[in-house]
Each structure stands twice: as C-alpha cells, then as structure tokens.
Amino acid sequence: MNIFLKVLSVFLLLHTNLAQAAHDDITGKEKALLETNQAYTPSLGDIMIGIQLRHAKLWYSGLASNWKLAEYKLEEISEAFEDIKKYQPNFDGKPTAEMIVRITSEPVKKLEQAIKAKDQPAFIKSFDEMSNACNACHTVNGHDFISIQRPTAQPLTNQRFTLH
Ligand code: HEC
C-alpha cells in the first residue's frame, strides 16, 4: 500500500467513526426530545386560556363580518375541545370528554350554520348560547366562579378584524 492509500484509509476510518458518533449523539438528543414531548400533557386550565382568547376573537370576527376568520376561530375552539377529550378526558373525577360532547355540540353546530349563512343576528344569538354552554360546564364542574360573557374590549390590538 503506498503512503497515499494509507493516509486515505486512516482518514476514511476516522471519518466513519466521527460520523457514527455524531449520528449516535443526534439520536440520543432526538430520544430525549421525544421523551419530553411524550411527558408533556397540557393542563385543562392551559387549554381553557387558549379557548378564552379564541372565544373573544370569534366575537370580533363575527362583529366585523369577517366570516372566514370566524370559521377559522370556531375550528380552533373545536380543536381545543378535541384536545381536552384527548389529554384531559377526566378532570377532578368528572367525565370531561363526555361533557364536551353533550354541552358544546349544539352551540358549535348553530355557530357553524350562522357563520356559513353569514347571518350576524344568528351569529350573536348562537355566540351567547356558546357562552352559556361554557358556563354550564363550569357550574357542573364546581367552577361557577369562572363566568364567561361577550367581550367588551378587544383582547389584542395587533390583529385587524375588519379587512375592508
Ligand atoms: C367540559 C366542560 C367545560 C367546557 C365546555 C368549558 N370549560 Fe372552561 N373550564 C372547565 C374547567 C373544569 C375549568 C377549570 C380548570 C382547572 O382548574 O384547571 C375551566 C376553566 C376555564 C377558564 C379559567 C382558566 C384560567 O386559568 O383562568 C376559562 C377562562 C375558561 N374555562 C373558559 C371557557 C370558555 C370560554 C369556554 C367555552 C367556549 C369553556 N371554558 C368551556 C370546564 C369547561
């Protein structure tokens, strides 16, 4: 073997080992990340904060007749309800997953219809019905001190609701 080939083979061996070590390191990191993700379960209170914000944004979308945004907000709220079913199916000994279906299905459906029809009076009526549903669930869960209403001021000023 000439010197050039010797150097090359040493280099290749070293390179393969280094690449393997880097690969092991990455998979180690990925594993740790995966374990962290699996360990994280959002609390019901955290999911509710997201719902609260979207509930307020839904209101201003409807008031501005921004029906695409309203549709999007309602979808986000529905997804959060799905998250509750997935991550917090029982809360404090109560079947949260079943309650979500029983209490929110009807108001969600009515809101969907109002938004689809671009019917603002129907939207306002079904929005209030949704807020009543939020409160009904809070009451059943012994949290009647958390009372939801129509928002009276925009929660954030960095998003425009009226587009035209
Ligand atoms: C399945 C029943 C249920 C429904 C439906 C429900 N909630 Fe809740 N909500 C709860 C429970 C239980 C808590 C208390 C959670 C805790 O203590 O961790 C809560 C807490 C909250 C909180 C307090 C969070 C905080 O940290 O300040 C807000 C705000 C809230 N909900 C908003 C809403 C809104 C808005 C809706 C309707 C769009 C809604 N919730 C629908 C059961 C429900």
Side-chain angles (χ1 to χ4, degrees):
M1 207 186 274
N2 71 24
I3 186 78
F4 172 74
L5 282 179
K6 260 190 198 156
V7 170
L8 185 70
S9 61
V10 167
F11 172 78
L12 282 177
L13 198 72
L14 201 71
H15 184 76
T16 317
N17 285 344
L18 282 177
Q20 186 59 44
H23 182 257
D24 287 350
D25 192 36
I26 287 170
T27 49
K29 272 185 200 149
E30 277 171 351
K31 253 195 216 150
L33 201 66
L34 211 67
E35 276 160 18
T36 316
N37 284 344
Q38 278 168 352
Y40 177 71
T41 305
S43 75
L44 188 56
D46 287 350
I47 300 174
M48 284 295 157
I49 288 287
I51 292 178
Q52 178 183 21
L53 190 58
R54 288 172 173 138
H55 174 267
K57 287 186 173 193
L58 175 64
W59 174 249
Y60 287 104
S61 313
L63 280 199
S65 298
N66 189 341
W67 301 114
K68 271 194 186 157
L69 186 60
E71 185 188 359
Y72 170 73
K73 284 291 142 215
L74 185 60
E75 273 168 17
E76 295 290 312
I77 291 173
S78 297
E79 274 174 27
F81 286 155
E82 288 304 312
D83 283 348
I84 294 173
K85 286 196 225 163
K86 193 165 145 195
Y87 296 112
Q88 300 289 346
N90 294 290
F91 179 80
D92 225 7
K94 299 222 168 53
T96 334
E98 276 170 40
M99 285 178 189
I100 286 283
V101 177
R102 230 179 317 129
I103 298 177
T104 66
S105 295
E106 199 55 30
V108 167
K109 204 169 81 193
K110 282 194 183 163
L111 268 169
E112 266 168 9
Q113 287 167 350
I115 291 168
K116 210 168 171 198
K118 303 182 178 172
D119 182 342
Q120 202 177 59
F123 169 84
I124 290 172
K125 189 166 174 280
S126 47
F127 183 89
D128 286 340
E129 284 170 17
M130 171 64 106
S131 304
N132 291 340
C134 308
N135 291 332
C137 202
H138 293 158
T139 301
V140 178
N141 279 282
H143 284 67
D144 58 353
F145 51 90
I146 302 172
S147 185
I148 301 302
Q149 62 172 12
R150 286 182 194 178
T152 55
Q154 285 197 16
L156 297 168
T157 52
N158 60 352
Q159 185 171 0
R160 198 179 297 145
F161 291 92
T162 311
L163 292 182
H164 305 294

PDB file of all heavy atoms in Angstrom, residues 43-46 48-49 51-52 55 77 81 84 91 96-97 99-100 103-104 130-131 133-135 137-138 141 143 146 148, ligand 1:
ATOM      1  N   SER A  43     -52.482  21.086  30.623  1.00  0.00           N
ATOM      2  CA  SER A  43     -53.497  21.051  31.686  1.00  0.00           C
ATOM      3  C   SER A  43     -54.803  21.608  31.136  1.00  0.00           C
ATOM      4  O   SER A  43     -54.814  22.339  30.133  1.00  0.00           O
ATOM      5  CB  SER A  43     -53.030  21.871  32.887  1.00  0.00           C
ATOM      6  OG  SER A  43     -53.153  23.243  32.586  1.00  0.00           O
ATOM      7  N   LEU A  44     -55.892  21.273  31.801  1.00  0.00           N
ATOM      8  CA  LEU A  44     -57.199  21.767  31.352  1.00  0.00           C
ATOM      9  C   LEU A  44     -57.228  23.296  31.393  1.00  0.00           C
ATOM     10  O   LEU A  44     -57.717  23.949  30.475  1.00  0.00           O
ATOM     11  CB  LEU A  44     -58.309  21.171  32.236  1.00  0.00           C
ATOM     12  CG  LEU A  44     -59.742  21.431  31.796  1.00  0.00           C
ATOM     13  CD1 LEU A  44     -59.986  20.946  30.378  1.00  0.00           C
ATOM     14  CD2 LEU A  44     -60.731  20.752  32.744  1.00  0.00           C
ATOM     15  N   GLY A  45     -56.644  23.859  32.464  1.00  0.00           N
ATOM     16  CA  GLY A  45     -56.611  25.318  32.600  1.00  0.00           C
ATOM     17  C   GLY A  45     -55.862  25.975  31.446  1.00  0.00           C
ATOM     18  O   GLY A  45     -56.293  27.014  30.931  1.00  0.00           O
ATOM     19  N   ASP A  46     -54.762  25.369  31.015  1.00  0.00           N
ATOM     20  CA  ASP A  46     -53.984  25.931  29.904  1.00  0.00           C
ATOM     21  C   ASP A  46     -54.784  25.886  28.602  1.00  0.00           C
ATOM     22  O   ASP A  46     -54.769  26.842  27.821  1.00  0.00           O
ATOM     23  CB  ASP A  46     -52.665  25.168  29.718  1.00  0.00           C
ATOM     24  CG  ASP A  46     -51.661  25.477  30.818  1.00  0.00           C
ATOM     25  OD1 ASP A  46     -51.930  26.419  31.590  1.00  0.00           O
ATOM     26  OD2 ASP A  46     -50.644  24.780  30.915  1.00  0.00           O
ATOM     27  N   MET A  48     -57.956  25.932  28.392  1.00  0.00           N
ATOM     28  CA  MET A  48     -59.061  26.897  28.560  1.00  0.00           C
ATOM     29  C   MET A  48     -58.625  28.331  28.239  1.00  0.00           C
ATOM     30  O   MET A  48     -59.382  29.110  27.673  1.00  0.00           O
ATOM     31  CB  MET A  48     -59.600  26.836  30.000  1.00  0.00           C
ATOM     32  CG  MET A  48     -60.457  25.626  30.266  1.00  0.00           C
ATOM     33  SD  MET A  48     -61.971  25.686  29.272  1.00  0.00           S
ATOM     34  CE  MET A  48     -62.373  23.955  29.253  1.00  0.00           C
ATOM     35  N   ILE A  49     -57.395  28.675  28.606  1.00  0.00           N
ATOM     36  CA  ILE A  49     -56.884  30.031  28.328  1.00  0.00           C
ATOM     37  C   ILE A  49     -56.885  30.267  26.808  1.00  0.00           C
ATOM     38  O   ILE A  49     -57.274  31.335  26.332  1.00  0.00           O
ATOM     39  CB  ILE A  49     -55.461  30.215  28.916  1.00  0.00           C
ATOM     40  CG1 ILE A  49     -55.519  30.295  30.444  1.00  0.00           C
ATOM     41  CG2 ILE A  49     -54.778  31.441  28.352  1.00  0.00           C
ATOM     42  CD1 ILE A  49     -56.091  31.596  30.987  1.00  0.00           C
ATOM     43  N   ILE A  51     -58.814  28.727  24.669  1.00  0.00           N
ATOM     44  CA  ILE A  51     -60.224  28.787  24.260  1.00  0.00           C
ATOM     45  C   ILE A  51     -60.784  30.183  24.556  1.00  0.00           C
ATOM     46  O   ILE A  51     -61.507  30.761  23.739  1.00  0.00           O
ATOM     47  CB  ILE A  51     -61.058  27.695  24.985  1.00  0.00           C
ATOM     48  CG1 ILE A  51     -60.641  26.299  24.503  1.00  0.00           C
ATOM     49  CG2 ILE A  51     -62.547  27.915  24.786  1.00  0.00           C
ATOM     50  CD1 ILE A  51     -61.350  25.139  25.184  1.00  0.00           C
ATOM     51  N   GLN A  52     -60.415  30.725  25.706  1.00  0.00           N
ATOM     52  CA  GLN A  52     -60.916  32.053  26.097  1.00  0.00           C
ATOM     53  C   GLN A  52     -60.511  33.123  25.082  1.00  0.00           C
ATOM     54  O   GLN A  52     -61.322  33.955  24.662  1.00  0.00           O
ATOM     55  CB  GLN A  52     -60.369  32.418  27.483  1.00  0.00           C
ATOM     56  CG  GLN A  52     -60.804  33.803  27.949  1.00  0.00           C
ATOM     57  CD  GLN A  52     -60.201  34.191  29.289  1.00  0.00           C
ATOM     58  OE1 GLN A  52     -59.179  33.623  29.700  1.00  0.00           O
ATOM     59  NE2 GLN A  52     -60.813  35.129  29.955  1.00  0.00           N
ATOM     60  N   HIS A  55     -62.385  32.557  21.868  1.00  0.00           N
ATOM     61  CA  HIS A  55     -63.789  32.919  22.068  1.00  0.00           C
ATOM     62  C   HIS A  55     -63.941  34.439  21.844  1.00  0.00           C
ATOM     63  O   HIS A  55     -64.851  34.893  21.153  1.00  0.00           O
ATOM     64  CB  HIS A  55     -64.163  32.507  23.504  1.00  0.00           C
ATOM     65  CG  HIS A  55     -65.514  32.913  23.988  1.00  0.00           C
ATOM     66  ND1 HIS A  55     -65.715  34.081  24.681  1.00  0.00           N
ATOM     67  CD2 HIS A  55     -66.733  32.308  23.893  1.00  0.00           C
ATOM     68  CE1 HIS A  55     -67.015  34.165  25.010  1.00  0.00           C
ATOM     69  NE2 HIS A  55     -67.654  33.106  24.536  1.00  0.00           N
ATOM     70  N   ILE A  77     -61.412  26.499  18.233  1.00  0.00           N
ATOM     71  CA  ILE A  77     -62.083  26.170  19.506  1.00  0.00           C
ATOM     72  C   ILE A  77     -62.462  24.689  19.511  1.00  0.00           C
ATOM     73  O   ILE A  77     -62.251  23.983  20.500  1.00  0.00           O
ATOM     74  CB  ILE A  77     -63.318  27.084  19.726  1.00  0.00           C
ATOM     75  CG1 ILE A  77     -62.861  28.529  19.983  1.00  0.00           C
ATOM     76  CG2 ILE A  77     -64.179  26.580  20.879  1.00  0.00           C
ATOM     77  CD1 ILE A  77     -63.978  29.556  20.056  1.00  0.00           C
ATOM     78  N   PHE A  81     -61.382  21.667  22.023  1.00  0.00           N
ATOM     79  CA  PHE A  81     -62.309  20.715  22.673  1.00  0.00           C
ATOM     80  C   PHE A  81     -61.830  19.285  22.433  1.00  0.00           C
ATOM     81  O   PHE A  81     -61.883  18.443  23.324  1.00  0.00           O
ATOM     82  CB  PHE A  81     -63.742  20.888  22.146  1.00  0.00           C
ATOM     83  CG  PHE A  81     -64.456  22.122  22.663  1.00  0.00           C
ATOM     84  CD1 PHE A  81     -65.506  22.693  21.931  1.00  0.00           C
ATOM     85  CD2 PHE A  81     -64.103  22.703  23.875  1.00  0.00           C
ATOM     86  CE1 PHE A  81     -66.171  23.820  22.404  1.00  0.00           C
ATOM     87  CE2 PHE A  81     -64.762  23.836  24.350  1.00  0.00           C
ATOM     88  CZ  PHE A  81     -65.804  24.398  23.613  1.00  0.00           C
ATOM     89  N   ILE A  84     -59.035  18.476  24.706  1.00  0.00           N
ATOM     90  CA  ILE A  84     -59.498  18.150  26.070  1.00  0.00           C
ATOM     91  C   ILE A  84     -59.891  16.677  26.139  1.00  0.00           C
ATOM     92  O   ILE A  84     -59.522  15.964  27.064  1.00  0.00           O
ATOM     93  CB  ILE A  84     -60.692  19.045  26.477  1.00  0.00           C
ATOM     94  CG1 ILE A  84     -60.228  20.505  26.594  1.00  0.00           C
ATOM     95  CG2 ILE A  84     -61.303  18.576  27.797  1.00  0.00           C
ATOM     96  CD1 ILE A  84     -61.335  21.506  26.821  1.00  0.00           C
ATOM     97  N   PHE A  91     -61.566  15.006  34.576  1.00  0.00           N
ATOM     98  CA  PHE A  91     -60.983  16.080  35.377  1.00  0.00           C
ATOM     99  C   PHE A  91     -61.684  16.103  36.727  1.00  0.00           C
ATOM    100  O   PHE A  91     -62.921  16.215  36.782  1.00  0.00           O
ATOM    101  CB  PHE A  91     -61.150  17.434  34.667  1.00  0.00           C
ATOM    102  CG  PHE A  91     -60.604  18.590  35.448  1.00  0.00           C
ATOM    103  CD1 PHE A  91     -59.241  18.865  35.447  1.00  0.00           C
ATOM    104  CD2 PHE A  91     -61.451  19.392  36.215  1.00  0.00           C
ATOM    105  CE1 PHE A  91     -58.737  19.932  36.176  1.00  0.00           C
ATOM    106  CE2 PHE A  91     -60.955  20.465  36.943  1.00  0.00           C
ATOM    107  CZ  PHE A  91     -59.593  20.732  36.919  1.00  0.00           C
ATOM    108  N   THR A  96     -64.958  14.727  31.620  1.00  0.00           N
ATOM    109  CA  THR A  96     -64.853  15.942  30.804  1.00  0.00           C
ATOM    110  C   THR A  96     -65.138  15.661  29.325  1.00  0.00           C
ATOM    111  O   THR A  96     -65.831  16.441  28.664  1.00  0.00           O
ATOM    112  CB  THR A  96     -63.431  16.540  30.909  1.00  0.00           C
ATOM    113  OG1 THR A  96     -62.865  16.157  32.137  1.00  0.00           O
ATOM    114  CG2 THR A  96     -63.453  18.030  30.790  1.00  0.00           C
ATOM    115  N   ALA A  97     -64.590  14.536  28.830  1.00  0.00           N
ATOM    116  CA  ALA A  97     -64.749  14.202  27.402  1.00  0.00           C
ATOM    117  C   ALA A  97     -66.228  14.084  27.039  1.00  0.00           C
ATOM    118  O   ALA A  97     -66.679  14.656  26.042  1.00  0.00           O
ATOM    119  CB  ALA A  97     -64.001  12.915  27.090  1.00  0.00           C
ATOM    120  N   MET A  99     -68.755  15.358  28.715  1.00  0.00           N
ATOM    121  CA  MET A  99     -69.408  16.668  28.924  1.00  0.00           C
ATOM    122  C   MET A  99     -69.201  17.576  27.721  1.00  0.00           C
ATOM    123  O   MET A  99     -70.106  18.289  27.317  1.00  0.00           O
ATOM    124  CB  MET A  99     -68.825  17.351  30.156  1.00  0.00           C
ATOM    125  CG  MET A  99     -69.301  16.758  31.443  1.00  0.00           C
ATOM    126  SD  MET A  99     -68.492  17.636  32.762  1.00  0.00           S
ATOM    127  CE  MET A  99     -68.956  16.637  34.135  1.00  0.00           C
ATOM    128  N   ILE A 100     -67.986  17.554  27.160  1.00  0.00           N
ATOM    129  CA  ILE A 100     -67.681  18.385  25.990  1.00  0.00           C
ATOM    130  C   ILE A 100     -68.699  18.086  24.895  1.00  0.00           C
ATOM    131  O   ILE A 100     -69.316  18.998  24.332  1.00  0.00           O
ATOM    132  CB  ILE A 100     -66.247  18.096  25.476  1.00  0.00           C
ATOM    133  CG1 ILE A 100     -65.201  18.704  26.399  1.00  0.00           C
ATOM    134  CG2 ILE A 100     -66.045  18.584  24.044  1.00  0.00           C
ATOM    135  CD1 ILE A 100     -65.010  20.196  26.257  1.00  0.00           C
ATOM    136  N   ILE A 103     -72.408  19.110  26.074  1.00  0.00           N
ATOM    137  CA  ILE A 103     -72.686  20.530  26.326  1.00  0.00           C
ATOM    138  C   ILE A 103     -72.377  21.430  25.127  1.00  0.00           C
ATOM    139  O   ILE A 103     -73.063  22.423  24.904  1.00  0.00           O
ATOM    140  CB  ILE A 103     -71.921  21.005  27.587  1.00  0.00           C
ATOM    141  CG1 ILE A 103     -72.410  20.211  28.810  1.00  0.00           C
ATOM    142  CG2 ILE A 103     -72.074  22.493  27.824  1.00  0.00           C
ATOM    143  CD1 ILE A 103     -71.684  20.521  30.104  1.00  0.00           C
ATOM    144  N   THR A 104     -71.345  21.078  24.333  1.00  0.00           N
ATOM    145  CA  THR A 104     -70.925  22.043  23.306  1.00  0.00           C
ATOM    146  C   THR A 104     -71.363  21.692  21.868  1.00  0.00           C
ATOM    147  O   THR A 104     -71.297  22.552  20.994  1.00  0.00           O
ATOM    148  CB  THR A 104     -69.388  22.234  23.310  1.00  0.00           C
ATOM    149  OG1 THR A 104     -68.771  21.016  22.907  1.00  0.00           O
ATOM    150  CG2 THR A 104     -68.867  22.641  24.671  1.00  0.00           C
ATOM    151  N   MET A 130     -73.270  29.696  23.123  1.00  0.00           N
ATOM    152  CA  MET A 130     -71.978  29.066  23.373  1.00  0.00           C
ATOM    153  C   MET A 130     -71.427  29.502  24.740  1.00  0.00           C
ATOM    154  O   MET A 130     -70.978  28.669  25.529  1.00  0.00           O
ATOM    155  CB  MET A 130     -70.981  29.435  22.267  1.00  0.00           C
ATOM    156  CG  MET A 130     -69.561  29.022  22.521  1.00  0.00           C
ATOM    157  SD  MET A 130     -69.374  27.246  22.593  1.00  0.00           S
ATOM    158  CE  MET A 130     -68.574  26.965  21.038  1.00  0.00           C
ATOM    159  N   SER A 131     -71.500  30.813  25.027  1.00  0.00           N
ATOM    160  CA  SER A 131     -71.004  31.298  26.321  1.00  0.00           C
ATOM    161  C   SER A 131     -71.788  30.645  27.466  1.00  0.00           C
ATOM    162  O   SER A 131     -71.211  30.285  28.498  1.00  0.00           O
ATOM    163  CB  SER A 131     -71.126  32.822  26.418  1.00  0.00           C
ATOM    164  OG  SER A 131     -70.451  33.420  25.332  1.00  0.00           O
ATOM    165  N   ALA A 133     -73.067  27.718  27.363  1.00  0.00           N
ATOM    166  CA  ALA A 133     -72.579  26.332  27.435  1.00  0.00           C
ATOM    167  C   ALA A 133     -71.267  26.282  28.228  1.00  0.00           C
ATOM    168  O   ALA A 133     -71.071  25.388  29.057  1.00  0.00           O
ATOM    169  CB  ALA A 133     -72.380  25.770  26.032  1.00  0.00           C
ATOM    170  N   CYS A 134     -70.375  27.257  27.971  1.00  0.00           N
ATOM    171  CA  CYS A 134     -69.109  27.326  28.734  1.00  0.00           C
ATOM    172  C   CYS A 134     -69.458  27.373  30.230  1.00  0.00           C
ATOM    173  O   CYS A 134     -68.897  26.615  31.029  1.00  0.00           O
ATOM    174  CB  CYS A 134     -68.305  28.586  28.396  1.00  0.00           C
ATOM    175  SG  CYS A 134     -67.987  28.881  26.642  1.00  0.00           S
ATOM    176  N   ASN A 135     -70.381  28.281  30.570  1.00  0.00           N
ATOM    177  CA  ASN A 135     -70.712  28.472  31.986  1.00  0.00           C
ATOM    178  C   ASN A 135     -71.411  27.257  32.579  1.00  0.00           C
ATOM    179  O   ASN A 135     -71.202  26.935  33.752  1.00  0.00           O
ATOM    180  CB  ASN A 135     -71.566  29.741  32.148  1.00  0.00           C
ATOM    181  CG  ASN A 135     -70.736  30.989  31.867  1.00  0.00           C
ATOM    182  OD1 ASN A 135     -69.521  30.978  32.061  1.00  0.00           O
ATOM    183  ND2 ASN A 135     -71.386  32.042  31.393  1.00  0.00           N
ATOM    184  N   CYS A 137     -70.873  24.191  31.862  1.00  0.00           N
ATOM    185  CA  CYS A 137     -69.840  23.206  32.177  1.00  0.00           C
ATOM    186  C   CYS A 137     -69.035  23.632  33.408  1.00  0.00           C
ATOM    187  O   CYS A 137     -68.686  22.806  34.239  1.00  0.00           O
ATOM    188  CB  CYS A 137     -68.928  22.972  30.985  1.00  0.00           C
ATOM    189  SG  CYS A 137     -68.093  21.378  31.072  1.00  0.00           S
ATOM    190  N   HIS A 138     -68.761  24.918  33.515  1.00  0.00           N
ATOM    191  CA  HIS A 138     -68.027  25.399  34.694  1.00  0.00           C
ATOM    192  C   HIS A 138     -68.839  25.118  35.964  1.00  0.00           C
ATOM    193  O   HIS A 138     -68.294  24.707  36.971  1.00  0.00           O
ATOM    194  CB  HIS A 138     -67.723  26.906  34.558  1.00  0.00           C
ATOM    195  CG  HIS A 138     -66.759  27.195  33.451  1.00  0.00           C
ATOM    196  ND1 HIS A 138     -66.659  28.420  32.835  1.00  0.00           N
ATOM    197  CD2 HIS A 138     -65.845  26.390  32.835  1.00  0.00           C
ATOM    198  CE1 HIS A 138     -65.719  28.368  31.892  1.00  0.00           C
ATOM    199  NE2 HIS A 138     -65.221  27.136  31.878  1.00  0.00           N
ATOM    200  N   ASN A 141     -68.851  21.525  36.951  1.00  0.00           N
ATOM    201  CA  ASN A 141     -67.541  21.147  37.478  1.00  0.00           C
ATOM    202  C   ASN A 141     -67.172  21.883  38.766  1.00  0.00           C
ATOM    203  O   ASN A 141     -66.010  21.858  39.176  1.00  0.00           O
ATOM    204  CB  ASN A 141     -66.458  21.398  36.416  1.00  0.00           C
ATOM    205  CG  ASN A 141     -66.392  20.265  35.414  1.00  0.00           C
ATOM    206  OD1 ASN A 141     -65.844  19.205  35.693  1.00  0.00           O
ATOM    207  ND2 ASN A 141     -67.002  20.461  34.256  1.00  0.00           N
ATOM    208  N   HIS A 143     -67.005  25.061  39.163  1.00  0.00           N
ATOM    209  CA  HIS A 143     -66.219  26.269  38.858  1.00  0.00           C
ATOM    210  C   HIS A 143     -67.146  27.404  38.399  1.00  0.00           C
ATOM    211  O   HIS A 143     -66.844  28.112  37.441  1.00  0.00           O
ATOM    212  CB  HIS A 143     -65.180  25.990  37.757  1.00  0.00           C
ATOM    213  CG  HIS A 143     -63.991  25.231  38.244  1.00  0.00           C
ATOM    214  ND1 HIS A 143     -64.052  23.925  38.678  1.00  0.00           N
ATOM    215  CD2 HIS A 143     -62.684  25.595  38.385  1.00  0.00           C
ATOM    216  CE1 HIS A 143     -62.845  23.527  39.048  1.00  0.00           C
ATOM    217  NE2 HIS A 143     -61.997  24.512  38.880  1.00  0.00           N
ATOM    218  N   ILE A 146     -66.046  30.919  37.427  1.00  0.00           N
ATOM    219  CA  ILE A 146     -65.464  31.291  36.127  1.00  0.00           C
ATOM    220  C   ILE A 146     -66.633  31.553  35.192  1.00  0.00           C
ATOM    221  O   ILE A 146     -67.281  30.625  34.698  1.00  0.00           O
ATOM    222  CB  ILE A 146     -64.533  30.199  35.557  1.00  0.00           C
ATOM    223  CG1 ILE A 146     -63.411  29.912  36.549  1.00  0.00           C
ATOM    224  CG2 ILE A 146     -63.962  30.614  34.203  1.00  0.00           C
ATOM    225  CD1 ILE A 146     -62.527  28.719  36.183  1.00  0.00           C
ATOM    226  N   ILE A 148     -68.231  33.323  31.844  1.00  0.00           N
ATOM    227  CA  ILE A 148     -67.884  33.824  30.508  1.00  0.00           C
ATOM    228  C   ILE A 148     -69.007  34.716  29.975  1.00  0.00           C
ATOM    229  O   ILE A 148     -70.185  34.415  30.147  1.00  0.00           O
ATOM    230  CB  ILE A 148     -67.641  32.626  29.559  1.00  0.00           C
ATOM    231  CG1 ILE A 148     -66.508  31.718  30.096  1.00  0.00           C
ATOM    232  CG2 ILE A 148     -67.338  33.068  28.133  1.00  0.00           C
ATOM    233  CD1 ILE A 148     -65.158  32.386  30.305  1.00  0.00           C
TER     234      ILE A 148
HETATM  235  C1  HEC B   1     -66.101  20.235  29.715  1.00  0.00           C
HETATM  236  C2  HEC B   1     -66.522  21.370  30.466  1.00  0.00           C
HETATM  237  C3  HEC B   1     -66.051  22.745  30.086  1.00  0.00           C
HETATM  238  C4  HEC B   1     -66.397  23.461  28.953  1.00  0.00           C
HETATM  239  C5  HEC B   1     -67.326  23.037  27.836  1.00  0.00           C
HETATM  240  C6  HEC B   1     -65.728  24.719  29.062  1.00  0.00           C
HETATM  241  N1  HEC B   1     -64.965  24.775  30.195  1.00  0.00           N
HETATM  242 FE1  HEC B   1     -63.740  26.274  30.742  1.00  0.00          FE
HETATM  243  N2  HEC B   1     -63.151  25.212  32.358  1.00  0.00           N
HETATM  244  C7  HEC B   1     -63.630  23.959  32.727  1.00  0.00           C
HETATM  245  C8  HEC B   1     -62.972  23.512  33.946  1.00  0.00           C
HETATM  246  C9  HEC B   1     -63.215  22.198  34.680  1.00  0.00           C
HETATM  247  C10 HEC B   1     -62.072  24.553  34.307  1.00  0.00           C
HETATM  248  C11 HEC B   1     -61.090  24.582  35.480  1.00  0.00           C
HETATM  249  C12 HEC B   1     -59.771  24.044  35.019  1.00  0.00           C
HETATM  250  C13 HEC B   1     -58.720  23.972  36.077  1.00  0.00           C
HETATM  251  O1  HEC B   1     -58.986  24.319  37.236  1.00  0.00           O
HETATM  252  O2  HEC B   1     -57.591  23.565  35.754  1.00  0.00           O
HETATM  253  C14 HEC B   1     -62.227  25.597  33.294  1.00  0.00           C
HETATM  254  C15 HEC B   1     -61.521  26.790  33.296  1.00  0.00           C
HETATM  255  C16 HEC B   1     -61.734  27.830  32.422  1.00  0.00           C
HETATM  256  C17 HEC B   1     -61.083  29.123  32.492  1.00  0.00           C
HETATM  257  C18 HEC B   1     -60.093  29.567  33.568  1.00  0.00           C
HETATM  258  C19 HEC B   1     -58.692  29.389  33.076  1.00  0.00           C
HETATM  259  C20 HEC B   1     -57.741  30.284  33.859  1.00  0.00           C
HETATM  260  O3  HEC B   1     -56.651  29.815  34.194  1.00  0.00           O
HETATM  261  O4  HEC B   1     -58.073  31.462  34.079  1.00  0.00           O
HETATM  262  C21 HEC B   1     -61.538  29.871  31.447  1.00  0.00           C
HETATM  263  C22 HEC B   1     -61.154  31.301  31.113  1.00  0.00           C
HETATM  264  C23 HEC B   1     -62.468  29.046  30.709  1.00  0.00           C
HETATM  265  N3  HEC B   1     -62.566  27.818  31.333  1.00  0.00           N
HETATM  266  C24 HEC B   1     -63.105  29.456  29.548  1.00  0.00           C
HETATM  267  C25 HEC B   1     -64.008  28.669  28.849  1.00  0.00           C
HETATM  268  C26 HEC B   1     -64.712  29.102  27.667  1.00  0.00           C
HETATM  269  C27 HEC B   1     -64.585  30.463  27.002  1.00  0.00           C
HETATM  270  C28 HEC B   1     -65.484  28.034  27.270  1.00  0.00           C
HETATM  271  C29 HEC B   1     -66.431  27.955  26.120  1.00  0.00           C
HETATM  272  C30 HEC B   1     -66.048  28.408  24.810  1.00  0.00           C
HETATM  273  C31 HEC B   1     -65.246  26.967  28.211  1.00  0.00           C
HETATM  274  N4  HEC B   1     -64.352  27.386  29.156  1.00  0.00           N
HETATM  275  C32 HEC B   1     -65.839  25.728  28.122  1.00  0.00           C
HETATM  276  C33 HEC B   1     -64.582  23.210  32.060  1.00  0.00           C
HETATM  277  C34 HEC B   1     -65.160  23.573  30.854  1.00  0.00           C
END
